[in-house]
Every structure is written in structure tokens, then in C-alpha cells.
Amino acid sequence: MVAFRSAWAWAAVLAIALAGCAGRKGFRGPPSPAEAGVNSNNLIDPVQQAALARNAGFDEFYQLVKQVREQNRPAVMPPKRTVLCLSGGGSYGAYTAGVLCGWTQCGGRPQFDVVTGISTGALIAPFAFLGCRYDPLVREFYTTLSRKDILKPRPVRGLFSEAFADNAPLANQIDRVLTDEVVREIAVEHAKGRRLYVGTTEVESRRFVVWDLGAIASRGRPCDRATIKRVLLGSSAIPGVFPPAEIEVEAGGRVFVERHSDGGVSQGLFYAPPHVPPKLAAVPEGRSLYGSDVYAIVAGKLYSDPQVIRPRALALAASNVETVLYAQTRGDLFRLWTYSTVRGMNFHMTAIPAAFPVEGGSVDFDTRAMTALFNEGVRQVCERTAWRTTPPGLEPGEHPLVRGGTNLIYEPRSADPEPMEEPGLFRRRR
């Protein structure tokens, strides 16, 4: 990346930007698909799309994975265990909360041997780990807390600091619910062999860090609760929105201060294996978990809804970052599905349904929108429609678009966006 050190260079960039804006002023032409209320995923080159369906190689991949799964089948089935993986997603965590509470309400929710969480999933993870009695607290957090309970905007100050908002209100909420009793309960469950993990991103190394919260809670130190609080605050620190959490570490007699931010920057979600009891230590690797269950709850959609993107650099940059995060989560889910299936584990995954209208962004924390997401999570579980056993990319409408030209047909594969209010085929871009 070239570093512009000259004022003249910056002036040139500004002139080009202004010229570009001037060149587009008053531009009229055909609308984009989103402007016309059409999902680009429904614009198909039928010949090329059919060729992809025939030659994608998914059938061969499935057969290979199944063969490996059968080869790992043990003569004696081990005890069945359960792993829960929670993704990030800001206020969309209301869907995760709804799935968990609905699972309790309609029956069948297991006690999880391992719970992992990132970002908003990290905030839910301790209470999903401790069990159903904490459902009311989870529900309260994701249906009654508003934006003012989570952050304090500071847009002007943010231009000259590391965040555009102060997350002191969120820190206060974590302090309220992460009581000494909760920390003691985590330690008790850790002693039983259950595991609770939270992921952060260490800012300077840009590396993903997994924190064993049960091990921290079991140290018996007065500072343990404060450490767990800082880890949760760091994992949920959306870059640019919230400041990273500072965590002191010691090595070789020296003390350092690391800065930890949103784990979702590094991974969409992550898996960690259950603790292996001594009686299973001799079981060959890959067979001690055969028949166990892996559940992944995504606080968001697998594929983003189409939306009109303004022809501005910041808007395009933000859209591209969001695209990368969606793709990263799908990739993490596909790897988790592959790993689970090869090991003989049963993969289950749920995400906000593609057809569900999500209002606002993931940092809006609008109580009405969050309550709707919570209720949708409850509904999906109670109607037995929440879980799928396939990874992203294999269900109808999830194949990549393939085009041999620009002459397309409209073939419904995904829900179309709401059309813009301004009528007409040819409209000015905004």
C-alpha cells in the first residue's frame, strides 16, 4: 500500500474524487437490480447455471466425506456429547437468544458439553453454558435493551481516537449480569469437564485468541471476574465502533498490555472439542466423538439482503467489508460441516431465514426489531424448521452465479428486495 506523504498527493486525490462526483451529477441510466426491486441472485444465465449444477462436483465430495465417516465408525459407540457454536452479529444476536429460549420452551434442548462464542455470541455463551435457568436474562438483554444501554456515540471525538462510540454502557451491562455467583458456577461446571470458550482478535498481531473462561474462573483469584469481563468486552468490540479491551498479560517476568477486539474479525464462529475423559483417552483420534452433535447458531443471514449502494468510496468500502464477513462465516461453517462429518459427528446449523425481513443494521439495537428477531428464533425452533444439516452453498439458490454473457432471464431463487418508492424503470442513481 502506498503511503501518501505529500500534501500535493492528497490534493490530487481530492481533485480526482471531486471530478468523479461532478462527472456523476445528474447521471441517468438504467437502474441497478436493487433499485428496481430485483435480487441479482435471480438473474440467471440458464445454460451456464445448468452446467455448474452438473459439474460442481458436490456429489463426489459428499461420497468422499461419507466414506471417511464410515471408516472412522468405532466398534463401540462412545458417549454422545454436544457442542454449541455461537457467531457474532451485534443486535442480530436476538435471533440466537430466541433459538435458545425457544429450544427450552418447546423441549429437547441438551446440556452442552462445550460452548464457544464470538462477539454477541460471546455475551450469550456463558448463560447458554450454564443452562435454561438463565433464559429470562438472555431474553431481557436482547428484547429490552436499546442503543443507549449499549453505547454512547462520540462522532467528533471518534475522528481522532480509535472508536466512534463509548462502550461504557455495555461494560455496565456485563458487570450487572456477570456476577460472582455466575463466575463460581462456570468454575463448578469446568471441574465437571465441560468447557466454555470465547474468541477475540489481538489487535497488533491480528491473530485469533481463544480464551478458556472455565479455566480462568477456576483460578480462585479476586481478579478472575474482571478478566472475564474484559475478554467479553473485547470479543464484542466492533472495530471502529467500540475501542479494544486492554488486557494485561505477563511473560518472563514482564507485564504487557494487549488490546483485544471483535473475534468476528478473525473468524465467523469456531469449534472446540469436548474434554476427553480418561476412559476415552485410548480411543483413536476421530472416533471418541462419533455420533455426537454440533450445533451452530448464526446471528445473521447466510447471504446478505440486496440493497442499493451509493456510488461513494466509503459506502462501497463498507459494503465490501460486509461481503468479506459474510463469506468468511460461510467458509467457517463449511469447514465445520466437513470436520464434523468426517469425524462422524452430526452437524446442525441455523441462521436467520433468507425470507425474514430484518429491519435496521446490526448496531442499531432497536428493541422492536430485536424482539421480532427473538420471536422468529422461537418460532423456527418450535415449528421444527430451524435446523439444517447441510453447509452453505448446497441448498437451492445458494450456488454461485455463472454467466457466459449479459443476456439473462429472471428465475426466482431468492426473495426480492422491497422496490424503491420512486416508480419507473429508469431512475436517477442516488
Side-chain angles (χ1 to χ4, degrees):
M1 180 180 295
V2 178
F4 291 99
R5 300 181 184 275
S6 165
W8 288 103
W10 280 112
V13 171
L14 180 60
I16 293 172
L18 291 175
C21 292
R24 294 194 65 88
K25 185 176 181 180
F27 172 79
R28 291 179 180 272
S32 70
E35 286 177 318
V38 175
N39 191 328
S40 297
N41 197 41
N42 297 332
L43 300 179
I44 306 296
D45 181 329
V47 176
Q48 295 293 331
Q49 205 67 36
L52 172 70
R54 290 194 302 269
N55 302 315
F58 292 135
D59 290 340
E60 293 84 351
F61 181 72
Y62 266 121
Q63 293 304 320
L64 177 61
V65 171
K66 289 179 181 179
Q67 288 175 14
V68 177
R69 178 188 179 104
E70 290 306 311
Q71 291 170 4
N72 284 330
R73 180 183 292 273
V76 179
M77 295 295 287
K80 189 172 185 176
R81 286 174 288 175
T82 308
V83 178
L84 175 67
C85 308
L86 305 178
S87 84
S91 61
Y92 297 164
Y95 178 78
T96 300
V99 168
L100 290 170
C101 293
W103 208 347
T104 301
Q105 175 183 320
C106 297
R109 174 173 163 177
Q111 181 186 70
F112 305 109
D113 295 280
V114 177
V115 177
T116 73
I118 287 176
S119 194
T120 196
L123 300 179
I124 299 173
F127 307 104
F129 178 75
L130 292 178
C132 308
R133 65 186 181 281
Y134 284 99
D135 282 1
L137 187 150
V138 173
R139 177 170 187 159
E140 174 202 349
F141 199 95
Y142 284 94
T143 60
T144 65
L145 299 187
S146 63
R147 189 182 180 89
K148 65 180 177 59
D149 300 310
I150 304 297
L151 59 89
K152 183 184 298 182
R154 50 180 190 185
V156 177
R157 182 180 173 187
L159 290 172
F160 306 98
S161 64
E162 55 189 358
F164 283 96
D166 182 0
N167 58 353
L170 176 60
N172 292 334
Q173 294 296 337
I174 295 175
D175 190 64
R176 176 177 66 89
V177 299
L178 187 71
T179 63
D180 290 330
E181 179 61 26
V182 167
V183 174
R184 283 193 292 268
E185 288 184 30
I186 292 173
V188 169
E189 296 305 314
H190 182 82
K192 297 177 183 177
R194 300 177 63 219
R195 295 293 180 261
L196 170 62
Y197 300 104
V198 162
T200 64
T201 299
E202 203 280 308
V203 173
E204 294 184 335
S205 67
R206 303 178 180 88
R207 297 295 296 269
F208 187 63
V209 179
V210 176
W211 298 84
D212 186 339
L213 297 193
I216 296 173
S218 300
R219 297 184 306 176
R221 302 178 185 179
C223 62
D224 294 339
R225 176 175 172 272
T227 300
I228 294 175
K229 174 184 172 181
R230 299 301 296 175
V231 170
L232 296 179
L233 201 59
S235 185
S236 57
I238 305 169
V241 179
F242 294 148
E246 295 185 347
I247 302 176
E248 284 193 0
V249 297
E250 183 179 346
R254 297 184 62 187
V255 175
F256 305 92
V257 175
E258 292 183 339
R259 295 189 301 156
H260 289 259
S261 65
D262 196 338
V265 173
S266 303
Q267 293 189 211
L269 75 173
F270 71 103
Y271 164 88
H275 172 70
V276 179
K279 64 181 179 180
L280 292 178
V283 177
E285 183 181 359
R287 299 188 179 185
S288 62
L289 296 176
Y290 204 98
S292 293
D293 289 309
V294 176
Y295 291 94
I297 304 180
V298 179
K301 295 188 177 184
L302 295 180
Y303 298 85
S304 63
D305 291 330
Q307 56 182 313
V308 178
I309 306 298
R310 297 183 65 198
R312 300 290 185 269
L314 289 179
L316 289 170
S319 176
N320 287 333
V321 168
E322 187 176 356
T323 299
V324 170
L325 294 177
Y326 271 96
Q328 173 183 273
T329 299
R330 293 195 298 269
D332 290 339
L333 286 166
F334 201 98
R335 284 189 292 274
L336 177 56
W337 172 83
T338 303
Y339 176 88
S340 303
T341 306
V342 166
R343 296 298 190 192
M345 303 175 74
N346 307 309
F347 174 85
H348 315 269
M349 183 264 291
T350 185
I352 298 174
F356 183 80
V358 177
E359 297 183 21
S362 61
V363 294
D364 287 351
F365 297 100
D366 177 78
T367 54
R368 186 174 62 85
M370 292 167 67
T371 300
L373 277 171
F374 179 92
N375 292 337
E376 178 65 11
V378 172
R379 187 186 72 81
Q380 288 288 332
V381 172
C382 291
E383 293 185 3
R384 305 292 190 266
T385 55
W387 305 107
R388 58 185 274 181
T389 58
T390 56
L394 299 187
E395 293 296 317
E398 294 182 352
H399 287 159
L401 291 170
V402 184
R403 294 173 179 173
T406 58
N407 190 16
L408 311 174
I409 67 169
Y410 178 86
E411 180 179 293
R413 305 200 316 164
S414 303
D416 283 324
E418 289 294 326
M420 296 180 65
E421 293 181 1
E422 184 180 352
L425 178 61
F426 296 100
R427 289 169 291 183
R428 179 177 176 177
R429 295 177 184 272
R430 297 180 176 177

